[in-house]
Amino acid sequence: MPTINSIRQQRRDGCSVAEIARRNGVSRDTVYKYLKRDDFSPTPPARKRRPSKLDPYKPLIRQWIEDDSTTWRKQRHTAKRIWQRLVEECGADVSASTVGRYVKALRAENRAASERFLDLAWEPGEAQADFGEADFYVMGVRRRLSYFVLTFPYSNVGLAQVFPGENAECVCQALKDIFSYIGGVPKRIIFDNAAGVGRRTADKVRTTELFGRFAAHYGFAYAFCNPASGHEKGSVENKVGAVRRSLFVPVPQVTSMGAFNKNLLGRCMALSRKGHWIKGEPEDRLFAEDRLALSGLPAKPFEVVRYATARADKKGKVRADGPHFYSTDPAFSGCEMLLGLGATTLRVFDGAGTFVCEHARAYGDAPTDTTDPGSQLHLLCLKPAGWRSSRVRAALSEDVRSWMDGLGRDELKEELRLLRDETARSGWEATRQAAELAYGSTGRIDRASVAVGAARIASGAEAIAYDEPVDLSGYDSVFFGRGA
């Protein structure tokens, strides 16, 4: 630039083109070029692209990689395979390294595009829904439960409810309780594609019958986000973590799920007494605008129940949700019964629709039976004074019963907790057998022996048999200070 500026300045001073060329050591053509130029503004540096032998085949390569997105990941094109196909099928005269560099750049471009998210705008009255998981002590037993979260992105207010499952009954019951608490119904709710109410496949949305009825009853629109697209419901994704960190640490104690959930709604609202992360206004004040946009509640509340049929066995028990048995009456042996499955309860009706009984609904893989003495263990751990008259005591062998009768209050509670915890994993019958086997072999009931034995019995394997009784009294005297 100093040379160009000198050429133009010398011309303004009246020097001839030949003299300017001689003074600056350039040709006269160069002098004429810079004298004619009328714009010296900076221009963006741009690398000149050279044509490549691969150019004619780039659209085809793009198409192959796009088609791979619908193919199992272990059966997609590698760069080498793309090069082989170009040579074999198209007669391309290109090197494998050239194809490899282009495929690498193309895939990097596709990854970057997938990480670009739209900044979505949410209107008052719109909501997002999702599930999270956390541990709870339910009647003293540590269990991992699901909690449903409904959040309003406009205000960032989120409300949660805890349930033992993620099925349509739990979702509808949670929504019903939240609608009642806030006094209205959202205009639209966005669900995760894996929610228990239905899912979206391509452009088709299929919901469960119960949720379809629930949505029609309350009159809200719903949609499912795209698979693997959590950013489409980022508000609820963040709120799920915030609720866990703020309300479920340390691990909560739950004795009544209904009372816990009722109290949880108020605790969730208390979290909103802070400024919105970007709008600055308090979240609870913005939530007033959400509430104004809600639809009114219907005149009649929706009954969250799914009906199914089951035939009672010889003892009058019906089976639901896999390994869970519910008692009715031996008089109904062999009869077709109607089951009304709610989120936390199961009601039984006879063939004519007459109510017979109601039970707490069981979840999980461990077998349960409402007639089992093990169903008393949760309450017995809290009230060990009822041990002498309990069905648990009556169901155990005389030797085990006598041994537990001789335990102190604290020792008895510990043994009852052992039976309770193992029953939750392996079922009562397997736990009872394992406890009696452990006592007969070692003269005591310890957690490790019962756990191993119950697991084997529940799986159908033979229980561990000992050649001769094992005397552990020597270990007791050393470790616990007890006499032999």
Side-chain angles (χ1 to χ4, degrees):
M1 290 307 299
T3 301
I4 296 172
N5 193 34
S6 175
I7 291 171
R8 295 172 67 87
Q9 185 63 48
Q10 290 172 23
R11 185 61 173 173
R12 284 192 291 270
D13 292 340
C15 296
S16 66
V17 171
E19 185 178 358
I20 294 172
R22 186 174 59 255
R23 288 183 180 182
N24 292 278
V26 297
S27 67
R28 286 186 295 178
D29 291 341
T30 301
V31 174
Y32 282 121
K33 182 178 72 171
Y34 288 123
L35 290 177
K36 290 180 180 178
R37 186 169 172 179
D38 58 357
D39 186 7
F40 289 90
S41 301
T43 57
R47 180 180 297 176
K48 290 185 178 180
R49 182 182 175 280
R50 293 183 298 177
S52 168
K53 292 182 178 180
L54 192 62
D55 288 346
Y57 309 104
K58 286 182 177 180
L60 182 59
I61 296 174
R62 283 183 176 273
Q63 184 61 52
W64 287 345
I65 292 179
E66 288 176 8
D67 292 343
D68 276 351
S69 62
T70 60
T71 306
W72 184 35
R73 62 181 181 82
K74 293 187 177 182
Q75 212 167 343
R76 296 176 180 175
H77 284 85
T78 62
K80 181 179 179 181
R81 181 56 184 150
I82 290 175
W83 171 72
Q84 289 174 339
R85 288 191 65 185
L86 289 175
V87 173
E88 295 170 2
E89 300 175 18
C90 306
D93 182 19
V94 292
S95 66
S97 59
T98 300
V99 174
R101 284 193 297 271
Y102 178 70
V103 170
K104 181 179 180 181
L106 187 57
R107 284 177 173 158
E109 177 186 323
N110 290 341
R111 282 195 299 270
S114 67
E115 295 171 358
R116 298 177 193 139
F117 303 144
L118 292 175
D119 186 10
L120 303 177
W122 296 87
E123 297 180 0
E126 295 185 319
Q128 299 175 2
D130 200 4
F131 274 102
E133 286 186 326
D135 285 351
F136 299 83
Y137 285 109
V138 182
M139 298 289 285
V141 180
R142 185 162 182 154
R143 295 175 58 191
R144 182 154 298 174
L145 303 179
S146 299
Y147 61 98
F148 177 86
V149 178
L150 185 73
T151 187
F152 293 82
Y154 179 80
S155 61
N156 199 38
V157 168
L159 300 163
Q161 294 283 271
V162 179
F163 286 94
E166 298 184 7
N167 53 29
E169 296 89 89
C170 293
V171 173
C172 293
Q173 187 63 54
L175 288 173
K176 176 184 176 180
D177 294 342
I178 292 173
F179 293 170
S180 177
Y181 179 76
I182 63 179
V185 181
K187 297 185 296 185
R188 184 171 70 117
I189 303 177
I190 305 298
F191 290 89
D192 184 83
N193 199 45
V197 296
R199 64 186 302 104
R200 171 182 172 182
T201 305
D203 294 330
K204 294 183 179 180
V205 173
R206 299 185 64 180
T207 64
T208 63
E209 181 183 356
L210 178 65
F211 178 75
R213 290 177 175 273
F214 182 85
H217 186 90
Y218 283 95
F220 61 86
Y222 57 85
F224 294 89
C225 67
N226 290 301
S229 301
H231 61 279
E232 295 182 2
K233 54 179 181 60
S235 174
V236 72
E237 292 274 356
N238 293 329
K239 189 63 67 176
V240 164
V243 167
R244 183 191 295 111
R245 293 187 295 270
S246 301
L247 302 181
F248 301 152
V249 176
V251 178
Q253 301 278 350
V254 180
T255 54
S256 169
M257 191 66 73
F260 182 86
N261 276 334
K262 186 175 181 180
N263 182 54
L264 182 59
L265 293 170
R267 296 174 64 200
C268 287
M269 284 303 302
L271 295 179
S272 302
R273 296 170 188 162
K274 66 180 189 305
H276 190 279
W277 66 281
I278 194 170
K279 297 178 181 177
E281 296 184 59
E283 291 180 352
D284 52 0
R285 188 180 302 171
L286 291 170
F287 188 57
E289 297 183 46
D290 274 317
R291 275 183 157 162
L292 288 174
L294 299 177
S295 303
L297 294 170
K300 294 182 179 180
F302 185 83
E303 185 178 6
V304 180
V305 60
R306 175 174 61 86
Y307 289 101
T309 58
R311 187 171 297 277
D313 64 14
K314 294 180 180 180
K315 296 180 180 180
K317 300 177 185 178
V318 292
R319 181 175 180 175
D321 299 327
H324 306 296
F325 291 86
Y326 303 87
S327 62
T328 60
D329 190 293
F332 292 109
S333 172
C335 296
E336 191 82 7
M337 308 297 286
L338 182 65
L339 308 182
L341 294 95
T344 57
T345 60
L346 182 142
R347 288 179 290 173
V348 183
F349 304 84
D350 64 15
T354 304
F355 175 75
V356 175
C357 60
E358 180 176 289
H359 297 281
R361 185 175 178 182
Y363 286 84
D365 297 328
T368 63
D369 190 328
T370 57
T371 61
D372 279 345
S375 61
Q376 285 190 344
L377 282 167
H378 291 80
L379 189 58
L380 201 56
C381 289
L382 300 177
K383 299 180 179 180
W387 159 252
R388 289 280 180 173
S389 303
S390 68
R391 286 191 293 155
V392 174
R393 181 179 181 276
L396 294 172
S397 67
E398 185 176 349
D399 290 341
V400 175
R401 188 188 314 149
S402 299
W403 177 73
M404 293 186 68
D405 286 345
L407 298 176
R409 179 183 175 87
D410 291 341
E411 293 172 319
L412 177 61
K413 288 181 69 174
E414 182 61 31
E415 296 300 331
L416 290 173
R417 292 193 192 100
L418 184 159
L419 296 176
R420 177 200 64 189
D421 296 345
E422 193 53 46
T423 296
R425 283 189 290 268
S426 303
W428 163 252
E429 189 57 32
T431 301
R432 181 191 64 79
Q433 293 182 35
E436 293 177 355
L437 177 64
Y439 179 80
S441 302
T442 65
R444 59 180 296 159
I445 299 175
D446 64 282
R447 189 172 292 273
S449 297
V450 174
V452 173
R456 291 177 63 86
I457 294 169
S459 66
E462 294 182 2
I464 298 176
Y466 296 89
D467 294 334
E468 57 184 27
V470 180
D471 183 7
L472 299 179
S473 59
Y475 292 97
D476 292 340
S477 63
V478 173
F479 293 109
F480 303 105
R482 299 175 181 170

